[in-house]
Amino acid sequence: MCLAACVMASSASANQLPSPSINKALKANKINSEALSAVTIPLSGPGKSAFMNADVLINPASTMKLVTTYAALELLGPAFQWKTEFFTDGTLKDGVLDGNLYLKGGGDPKLNMERLWLLLRDLRANGVRHISGDLILDRSHFAPPPVSVFDDDQNDQSKPFLVEPDSLLINFKSQRFIVRGESNGAQVVMEPPIGSIELINNVKLQPAKNCNNPVISYLPQDDGHTLTVTVSGHIAPGCSTQNYLSLLDHSRYAAGIVRSIWQEMGGTILGNDMLGQTPKDARLLVRAYSPDLVEVIRDINKYSNNTMAKQLFLTIGARFRNAADSDDAAAARRVINDLFIKKKIATYGLIVENGSGLSRKERISARQLGMMLEAAWKGPYAAEFISSLPIVAMDGTMRRRLRNSQLAGQAHIKTGTLNNVRAIAGFSRDINGDAWAVVAIINHPQPWGASAILDQVLLDIFSQPKRTGNNLAR
């Protein structure tokens, strides 16, 4: 492992890292050079690798999602799919299912309302109308680790981006609250409708010059049976606003949304909602498959979806868990570590807590991440991996970055942001059309303006010396 002395040597022989333009950006934003770790590696063409604080173990924020999604492609394969199933231990006659209905989750990260509706529609098409027994939720697919605390947002579990993974994750267990100012008063609508959630509308109409400043607050109170949400504030006539909140636990949300959709279809479930495992002799009624892994990692990387990344991380663990693993997170860490060793990537100091980057514990060096990107470029699923990353100035979390530069459309870059972290990692082209792997991560107590520094790293890559006809030969 290359330690501090080696870091200094590699930086001294680096190909212009930090460049004068990067130094200028660091100085302008009052960030010391020790806070920036960067690596640029030529993947085609005659360029030279460059390193800056490359072996310092740093918090990568959401660029850690690249580790999880790359490992998933290598370990699960691009065609991998999750499945969600309905089973029964009873008999079906004349539309009545005399027995229990088991909903068995398989860890699908993208089981939304539309796809659950289709699965229930399939159940209906197979002759089920009324269920005499209980709705039993089987959440046994994952062996999850203890829930970690993320202090940046006071561990506010009502925020959808903090939703924890689950074997039966549905719609990110989130509710959409829509508030509209109408002539007869303010209206509050909740989607999806769930019977155990009761709304109290205390929103008032208040004239305003525009719709930019509605003031709406949500106060949930839960007695264990009914969740009452009091919506207060004011909104102007003709205006509307919406907010997403995660207020129920996974079990109550899953049961509530199944019952809501099933009731809309004209079906009934007479029994209670319960947790349990599907009996081995239960009969399969219907099954739904998720989109393939390539589509899922696109959502994770383009839009930096934390819950889906955590779900994928546990999926890796569940696939390879053995008796020695304490849980699926431990199993995922083990196989990812083994994958890095197989690819000849150093694992010293590598810490992957949940695979999403939404963590204060996760650590990786810029060199390790850069070498992983190089391995991905050389791997069989390079196209699938690269295309999952945001395109500079075009989509995902990079859609508003570098819009008026020559780099627009020329790079696929994953971003990362925490209170004290700003990060980019991915693939970029230079002015000659040659490809580079790039990692640039700032860990600093006040990283204000850090995006300008990271953008400058990308601009420097693009501004490689332009080759003439005499030096185009490889």
Side-chain angles (χ1 to χ4, degrees), residues 127-149:
V128 180
R129 297 290 187 277
H130 307 289
I131 298 151
S132 68
D134 298 322
L135 172 61
I136 300 178
L137 307 176
D138 186 343
R139 299 166 55 209
S140 62
H141 180 73
F142 286 150
V147 175
S148 60
V149 175

Side-chain angles (χ1 to χ4, degrees), residues 21 47 251 317 331 385 441 457:
S21 54
S251 298
F385 184 64
I441 301 174
V457 175

Side-chain angles (χ1 to χ4, degrees), residues 6 16 71 77 145 161 168 180 190 225 249 255 281 309 314 322 334 344-345 353 369 422 424 454:
C6 184
Q16 292 297 306
F161 76 92
L168 192 52
R180 301 192 306 270
M190 178 182 67
H225 299 284
D249 61 30
D281 59 350
L314 292 188
N322 61 35
R334 174 177 55 79
K344 296 181 170 56
I345 304 168
E353 182 185 21
L369 191 51
R422 300 292 186 273
I424 58 168
L454 304 181

Side-chain angles (χ1 to χ4, degrees), residues 183-259:
S183 58
N184 60 342
Q187 304 296 319
V188 180
V189 178
M190 178 182 67
E191 182 67 28
I194 290 180
S196 61
I197 300 180
E198 178 183 332
L199 287 178
I200 297 177
N201 178 7
N202 287 338
V203 181
K204 308 298 182 184
L205 285 181
Q206 181 173 307
K209 293 181 179 180
N210 55 54
C211 293
N212 294 334
N213 298 306
V215 177
I216 307 295
S217 65
Y218 302 85
L219 178 63
Q221 293 179 303
D222 194 347
D223 64 8
H225 299 284
T226 300
L227 174 68
T228 302
V229 182
T230 302
V231 187
S232 305
H234 58 79
I235 192 168
C239 297
S240 66
T241 186
Q242 63 181 11
N243 195 25
Y244 290 84
L245 295 173
S246 172
L247 300 173
L248 295 174
D249 61 30
H250 284 286
S251 298
R252 290 171 68 189
Y253 186 90
I257 197 170
V258 167
R259 284 182 178 272

Side-chain angles (χ1 to χ4, degrees), residues 21 30 85 99 134 141 226 246 284 319 328 362 377 412 424:
S21 54
K30 299 180 181 179
E85 301 160 308
D134 298 322
H141 180 73
T226 300
S246 172
L284 177 67
R319 173 66 178 80
D328 287 338
E362 294 192 322
W377 173 268
H412 287 75
I424 58 168

Side-chain angles (χ1 to χ4, degrees), residues 56-271:
V56 178
L57 293 168
I58 49 178
N59 189 320
S62 282
T63 57
M64 184 60 85
K65 292 181 175 72
L66 296 178
V67 173
T68 303
T69 52
Y70 167 68
L73 281 170
E74 290 283 332
L75 298 169
L76 303 175
F80 179 86
Q81 292 176 292
W82 291 259
K83 59 186 179 183
T84 306
E85 301 160 308
F86 277 111
F87 288 85
T88 188
D89 56 8
T91 57
L92 177 63
K93 183 178 180 181
D94 298 330
V96 177
L97 182 63
D98 186 13
N100 298 316
L101 181 67
Y102 294 84
L103 174 55
K104 186 174 184 179
D108 184 351
K110 205 171 180 179
L111 182 58
N112 55 23
M113 284 180 60
E114 292 81 6
R115 294 185 50 244
L116 179 63
W117 184 90
L118 288 172
L119 179 60
L120 287 166
R121 190 71 187 85
D122 197 16
L123 184 65
R124 182 74 183 257
N126 276 275
V128 180
R129 297 290 187 277
H130 307 289
I131 298 151
S132 68
D134 298 322
L135 172 61
I136 300 178
L137 307 176
D138 186 343
R139 299 166 55 209
S140 62
H141 180 73
F142 286 150
V147 175
S148 60
V149 175
F150 185 72
D151 293 331
D152 281 27
D153 291 86
Q154 293 78 49
N155 198 33
D156 182 358
Q157 293 299 310
S158 71
K159 297 188 175 184
F161 76 92
L162 288 176
V163 169
E164 290 296 319
D166 193 81
S167 300
L168 192 52
L169 174 72
I170 300 178
N171 209 48
F172 305 113
K173 75 177 189 75
S174 296
Q175 299 292 124
R176 182 167 64 123
F177 294 88
I178 305 166
V179 181
R180 301 192 306 270
E182 299 183 356
S183 58
N184 60 342
Q187 304 296 319
V188 180
V189 178
M190 178 182 67
E191 182 67 28
I194 290 180
S196 61
I197 300 180
E198 178 183 332
L199 287 178
I200 297 177
N201 178 7
N202 287 338
V203 181
K204 308 298 182 184
L205 285 181
Q206 181 173 307
K209 293 181 179 180
N210 55 54
C211 293
N212 294 334
N213 298 306
V215 177
I216 307 295
S217 65
Y218 302 85
L219 178 63
Q221 293 179 303
D222 194 347
D223 64 8
H225 299 284
T226 300
L227 174 68
T228 302
V229 182
T230 302
V231 187
S232 305
H234 58 79
I235 192 168
C239 297
S240 66
T241 186
Q242 63 181 11
N243 195 25
Y244 290 84
L245 295 173
S246 172
L247 300 173
L248 295 174
D249 61 30
H250 284 286
S251 298
R252 290 171 68 189
Y253 186 90
I257 197 170
V258 167
R259 284 182 178 272
S260 175
I261 296 173
W262 190 243
Q263 184 177 356
E264 287 180 355
M265 292 179 176
T268 59
I269 302 174
L270 298 182

Side-chain angles (χ1 to χ4, degrees), residues 317-336:
R319 173 66 178 80
F320 295 98
R321 185 199 321 145
N322 61 35
D325 295 316
S326 58
D327 52 52
D328 287 338
R333 293 184 196 107
R334 174 177 55 79
V335 296
I336 289 173

